[in-house]
Amino acid sequence: MSPRTARTRARLMAAVALAATLLGAAGCTSDGPSAASGGSGASGSSGSSGSSGSSGSSGGGPKQQEYKEGRLRVLASSELTDMEPVLKAAKAATGVSVDFTWSGTLDAAEQVASGKADGRYDAIWLSSNDYLRLRPEAASKLANETPVMSSPVAVGVKPQALARLGWKPQEVTWSAVEEAVAAGKLTYGMTDPVHSNSGFSALVSVASGLSGAQSALTDADVRTAQPRLREFFKGQKLTSGSSGWLVTAYAKRGDVDALVNYESVLLSMNDRAKEPLTVIRPKDGVVTAHYPLTLLTSAPAGARESGRLLTEYLRGDAAQKAITEKTFRRPVAAGVAPAAGLDGERRRELPFPGSRSVADGLLASYENELRRPSRTVYVLDTSGSMAEQDRIGRLKSALTDLTGSGSSGTGERFRDREEVTLLPFGDKVKQVLTHVVEPGNPGPALEAIRGDVGSLRPEGGTAVYGSLKAAYQHLGQGNADAFTSIVLMTDGQSGDKVQDFDSFYAGLPEGQKHTPVFAVLFGDSDRKELTHITELTGGRLFDATDGNGSLDGAFEEIRGYQ
């Protein structure tokens, strides 16, 4: 096994899926944006259904509330924000309130398997527990699990693309999708399978369809599918660590033909869209999320009783009807009909890989061979204020972790074929340092990045906007074959003028405007200022203001968007 494959195995199974999708379980309030609506605001607070909740952060872990009678502390997939109306009704009926902390599925699996969830959460509610089943040590952590609803992977296609392709939705296969991509007739967006369950479920679905696998994928099936998978991923123009941001980016771009995601996400988009997508479940099979509400063995007796009451309510006919009508997920109660718009025709259900080697092989192949490479400029505040509270030390540690030589032990690092540019600034840009991670020989580039990071020194002012302009100028017209982005980290308020940057951005060619800025809220940085930058450019704000490890967590989470 290559060092990179080993790191990818660690990434899946040790799973710090971007320290939060923050991949460290960044919380956000349950009345925040739903996974379908997206939202580019900062993440970093946790909440509860029907009442205010505790604060949280990425990387360093959320400050979860102590257990209280009648409340259930739940580590959950972020797309479940759309369940708030149903949970308000559940509280009225059962007296049980839910305190959510949102997380990526892989990160949640790691928290449970490692014991970090013990005593912090009473239950998990993920799109799937299949990741946990690949972790034998997790079995003793789970008291029981009960599916509440389901949603299969699907492809949402714009009407004009559907007409151009001449597809009949009921007859479309994954092979037809791959052939359309290979012919240059279809582009799409999909979440990152290393960080998102919807992305990994889509990857399994496509690999199964293209390999002709008749049962759970094997290593041989993955090898068989690899040439066609490479063609398939040439059409991926958008990636994301979460379904919510993917939907937002898709709407902003306007030049992408389709989305691959859960059926419920696509139909929720259509509920608000002027131009609804045609939602296709490929006839050769899909992976389905079943959203099991799972109690943990570490939960106190009162929490287990609350979980039982909540589960019984959610599987009742009234709640099942509300779930399918409000979220477009499919009911599990036999007597409840799916909401209008949910195709009733049966599709082959594809099993999740049953072995670690298959999951490892798929993810390693995707990361380093199949996906488009990444091209990222890290715009780094190294002004004088970064000397305070060892902020420069925390920045160096977070970046060093991404070279695979940090202390976090996550296994996350810059990918093969990735172009990494460090652009430190103070009163002005200090340097522009670019390295490319070569496949088969990543060491020289990673060592050079570590050296550049180690040489960062805090001095000067805070020229945020001028430095962002320099980043866009460095990227130029961009590489059409790369996922291109800018990461901005600052601990203060900009000393130059926002109007200058806004005018500069407005004058960029349309293709360059597709480069988002992912900003990290850190130290004393101005939330309003960074929110403006991310909303203007179609990026997202990540909160690293709470806890010594949160900057590491923010950089880790951003990896799912690059």
Side-chain angles (χ1 to χ4, degrees):
M1 180 186 298
S2 70
R4 182 56 181 145
T5 301
R7 275 188 290 266
T8 303
R9 168 169 288 186
R11 186 64 185 87
L12 170 67
M13 310 318 302
V16 185
L18 274 205
T21 303
L22 269 178
L23 278 143
C28 62
T29 59
S30 60
D31 55 358
S34 71
S37 66
S40 55
S43 57
S45 62
S46 84
S48 58
S49 177
S51 66
S52 61
S54 59
S55 63
S57 68
S58 69
K63 295 179 180 178
Q64 182 69 21
Q65 286 184 333
E66 294 292 328
Y67 172 72
K68 295 180 181 178
E69 197 70 31
R71 306 189 75 86
L72 199 66
R73 301 166 299 171
V74 179
L75 183 62
S77 296
S78 56
E79 65 260 34
L80 291 176
T81 52
D82 63 3
M83 286 288 289
E84 183 189 13
V86 177
L87 293 173
K88 283 186 175 179
K91 180 182 178 182
T94 66
V96 177
S97 295
V98 179
D99 290 323
F100 276 125
T101 297
W102 307 119
S103 173
T105 300
L106 291 176
D107 181 64
E110 164 60 16
Q111 289 196 57
V112 172
S114 67
K116 293 178 181 177
D118 292 353
R120 178 175 286 171
Y121 306 109
D122 307 310
I124 57 171
W125 197 359
L126 308 175
S127 51
S128 169
N129 282 352
D130 289 323
Y131 289 110
L132 279 170
R133 295 190 186 98
L134 296 178
R135 302 289 299 271
E137 67 271 31
S140 64
K141 305 288 185 181
L142 309 180
N144 55 61
E145 58 180 273
T146 308
V148 172
M149 53 204 170
S150 68
S151 191
V153 168
V155 184
V157 185
K158 285 182 176 178
Q160 56 267 41
L162 192 70
R164 181 174 70 243
L165 292 164
W167 280 351
K168 296 180 180 179
Q170 296 300 322
E171 299 301 316
V172 174
T173 63
W174 289 114
S175 288
V177 176
E178 182 267 335
E179 289 165 4
V181 169
K185 296 179 180 179
L186 185 72
T187 60
Y188 64 92
M190 189 182 98
T191 59
D192 186 337
V194 178
H195 304 290
S196 166
N197 191 65
S198 65
F200 189 69
S201 296
L203 177 59
V204 172
S205 298
V206 177
S208 296
L210 297 184
S211 69
Q214 298 303 304
S215 57
L217 278 174
T218 65
D219 293 324
D221 293 327
V222 174
R223 289 192 294 271
T224 298
Q226 193 160 4
R228 296 189 69 187
L229 284 170
R230 187 173 290 110
E231 291 298 315
F232 176 81
F233 283 111
K234 287 181 180 178
Q236 186 183 5
K237 302 302 181 185
L238 282 174
T239 187
S240 172
S242 69
S243 296
W245 187 84
L246 184 74
V247 168
T248 301
Y250 171 81
K252 183 177 177 67
R253 282 283 293 265
D255 63 342
V256 178
D257 298 320
L259 283 182
V260 182
N261 211 304
Y262 290 130
E263 174 189 60
S264 58
V265 172
L266 301 173
L267 290 173
S268 294
M269 286 175 60
N270 285 350
D271 205 34
R272 298 178 297 277
K274 295 179 180 179
E275 187 181 51
L277 301 173
T278 297
V279 179
I280 297 170
R281 292 179 297 138
K283 65 181 295 185
D284 42 354
V286 292
V287 172
T288 297
H290 293 283
Y291 296 95
L293 181 55
T294 306
L295 292 172
L296 301 178
T297 54
S298 60
R304 292 198 293 272
E305 176 61 15
S306 293
R308 184 189 66 78
L309 291 171
L310 179 62
T311 301
E312 287 183 356
Y313 175 84
L314 292 174
R315 287 176 61 89
D317 287 357
Q320 289 283 294
K321 187 172 186 294
I323 287 170
T324 190
E325 291 180 351
K326 294 180 184 298
T327 74
F328 296 102
R329 297 186 184 95
R330 294 172 180 265
V332 294
V336 178
L342 289 171
D343 182 1
E345 185 173 343
R346 295 183 66 84
R347 283 287 185 265
R348 180 186 173 207
E349 176 62 26
L350 299 173
F352 195 87
S355 73
R356 291 177 60 167
S357 67
V358 174
D360 293 345
L362 270 175
L363 290 175
S365 182
Y366 175 82
E367 281 275 88
N368 299 301
E369 301 173 42
L370 301 176
R371 77 190 300 277
R372 296 163 70 204
S374 298
R375 189 169 182 238
T376 309
V377 179
Y378 287 83
V379 180
L380 306 172
D381 185 345
T382 56
S383 60
S385 61
M386 286 290 290
E388 300 174 7
Q389 303 173 21
D390 193 33
R391 291 172 181 171
I392 193 70
R394 291 159 63 189
L395 172 61
K396 290 180 179 182
S397 175
L399 289 171
T400 299
D401 278 357
L402 296 183
T403 70
S405 287
S407 59
S408 68
T410 64
E412 179 71 46
R413 74 152 173 85
F414 296 115
R415 304 177 183 95
D416 290 355
R417 303 174 295 143
E418 185 167 2
E419 180 184 296
V420 180
T421 296
L422 305 181
L423 196 153
F425 70 91
D427 295 309
K428 59 182 180 181
V429 173
K430 298 176 180 179
Q431 291 176 294
V432 180
L433 306 161
T434 298
H435 307 279
V436 177
V437 182
E438 296 294 341
N441 188 30
L446 298 176
E447 184 62 34
I449 293 170
R450 285 193 287 272
D452 290 341
V453 168
S455 68
L456 297 177
R457 297 291 182 268
E459 58 185 3
T462 312
V464 170
Y465 296 114
S467 302
L468 285 175
K469 289 168 62 175
Y472 276 98
Q473 290 164 343
H474 170 77
L475 289 168
Q477 294 299 314
N479 180 351
D481 293 327
F483 290 122
T484 305
S485 63
I486 295 170
V487 177
L488 169 65
M489 193 293 303
T490 179
D491 76 333
Q493 187 170 1
S494 179
D496 48 4
K497 295 180 180 179
V498 62
Q499 293 86 351
D500 292 343
F501 176 73
D502 287 1
S503 298
F504 166 82
Y505 183 82
L508 288 174
E510 196 61 33
Q512 283 183 273
K513 290 181 180 178
H514 294 161
T515 299
V517 176
F518 300 115
V520 181
L521 192 69
F522 180 63
D524 301 318
S525 53
D526 188 321
R527 182 182 292 270
K528 182 178 179 181
E529 182 176 74
L530 297 185
T531 298
H532 169 76
I533 291 169
T534 56
E535 290 182 346
L536 177 68
T537 64
R540 183 184 164 193
L541 183 61
F542 297 82
D543 194 335
T545 57
D546 185 12
N548 291 332
S550 60
L551 185 59
D552 305 66
F555 277 119
E556 285 279 323
E557 183 179 3
I558 290 170
R559 297 294 292 154
Y561 296 75
Q562 298 174 325

